[in-house]
Amino acid sequence: MNVLRSRLLHAVLILIIAYAIFTFAIRPPAPRSVLAIYMGVVILATFVYISSNSDSWRNFLRPLRDTLVQPERRLVRLAVVIAIPILLGYYAYTQAAAKAQAPPELRAVHPAPPASIQFRGKEITIQGFDNPLRKDQANLRKNIAAGGETYIRNCMYCHGDNLDGKGHFARGLNPPPANFQDPGTIAMLQEAFLFWRIAKGGPGLPKESTPWNSAMPAWEDRLTEEQIWQVIMYLYDATGQQPRRWEAS
């Protein structure tokens, strides 16, 4: 029973249970940065708990002090002295060791778009086509706001609320979701290109985009043509990017 009353045991159990809850019970999984913040709060609260009075603090330190000075715990001390360098060495090795990587393959990140696509039985021109909603300047802000609502409902979970590709599900995707804040993404693409990619998703990519393709689903069955154009307008407006223009033929 004395073991069960040990403040050291209480502290260890609290940390283990908290880590297990934050790691396995929260869905979608919290980012590592958020997990670190939560665990920091738990560690601080645990420290306050075990140091709430002098008796509790002495109870917490007693097993540690006994391990260091009691002759009958010599084997425990020896195990600790051996384990600490091994664990530190293993951590250093995992940080410095070369990571296994897929062999390099030729892959087109932004493949050439098709001349046109079929969207819900309607043929939509892609090459040379501009966002038709931009012609309606009177409703420009309204369309952008509607695109933002659609993005939050459907796209934020992967691409993130900051449009930086760090949404809740991003860690589980390979390749990771596009970072729209990166000037090397949508700023390099025409709006019609984005329409094709959003409408057809990963399944609509040509063979030259393998082996990784894209985890994005085809949104043509979930979003209307207008909603996709609105989302595209929102992406450019929220990131401050300008869509690439088609080159004059």
Side-chain angles (χ1 to χ4, degrees), residues 4-246:
L4 296 179
R5 294 177 181 176
S6 170
R7 288 292 188 265
L8 177 61
L9 178 62
H10 293 175
V12 172
L13 289 177
I14 289 172
L15 296 179
I16 292 175
I17 293 173
Y19 181 81
I21 292 174
F22 295 150
T23 304
F24 303 109
I26 297 178
R27 288 293 180 270
R32 290 186 180 274
S33 58
V34 176
L35 178 61
I37 294 174
Y38 287 173
M39 288 304 300
V41 173
V42 172
I43 291 173
L44 180 61
T46 303
F47 178 79
V48 172
Y49 163 68
I50 62 178
S51 62
S52 57
N53 58 69
S54 57
D55 290 338
S56 177
W57 182 244
R58 283 194 296 269
N59 184 287
F60 173 77
L61 293 178
R62 186 178 300 115
L64 300 176
R65 184 174 57 251
D66 291 346
T67 300
L68 293 175
V69 301
Q70 292 290 345
E72 60 270 18
R73 296 195 178 182
R74 183 179 305 168
L75 292 179
V76 177
R77 286 197 297 273
L78 179 61
V80 171
V81 170
I82 294 175
I84 289 177
I86 291 177
L87 292 175
L88 291 177
Y90 176 75
Y91 175 78
Y93 170 77
T94 57
Q95 297 301 308
K99 303 294 190 299
Q101 296 181 347
E105 295 190 41
L106 296 177
R107 173 178 177 263
V109 178
H110 299 312
S116 63
I117 62 172
Q118 290 293 321
F119 184 88
R120 297 188 177 186
K122 172 185 176 182
E123 184 175 2
I124 296 181
T125 301
I126 297 299
Q127 293 189 12
F129 192 66
D130 293 321
N131 190 335
L133 297 185
R134 291 200 180 274
K135 299 177 182 178
D136 185 7
Q137 289 296 313
N139 292 311
L140 179 65
R141 301 312 306 178
K142 178 180 177 182
N143 284 323
I144 292 174
E149 293 178 4
T150 301
Y151 178 89
I152 294 299
R153 288 196 301 267
N154 300 279
C155 315
M156 178 189 70
Y157 305 102
C158 294
H159 292 284
D161 51 357
N162 292 322
L163 290 81
D164 54 4
K166 297 180 180 179
H168 293 310
F169 301 151
R171 287 193 300 168
L173 302 177
N174 183 21
N179 174 9
F180 299 129
Q181 299 287 358
D182 186 344
T185 55
I186 59 175
M188 304 293 292
L189 304 171
Q190 299 89 352
E191 289 184 289
F193 184 100
L194 267 66
F195 185 95
W196 164 55
R197 292 293 297 108
I198 295 172
K200 298 301 181 180
L205 281 169
K207 291 183 178 180
E208 58 263 29
S209 291
T210 55
W212 306 121
N213 290 321
S214 168
M216 186 171 70
W219 288 99
E220 60 182 334
D221 296 330
R222 301 172 178 85
L223 301 179
T224 65
E225 179 182 350
E226 182 181 51
Q227 285 177 316
I228 295 178
W229 287 122
Q230 288 172 338
V231 167
I232 293 170
M233 294 174 70
Y234 169 74
L235 295 181
Y236 284 103
D237 182 78
T239 58
Q241 312 277 14
Q242 292 296 322
R244 182 179 177 181
R245 300 300 179 187
W246 294 99

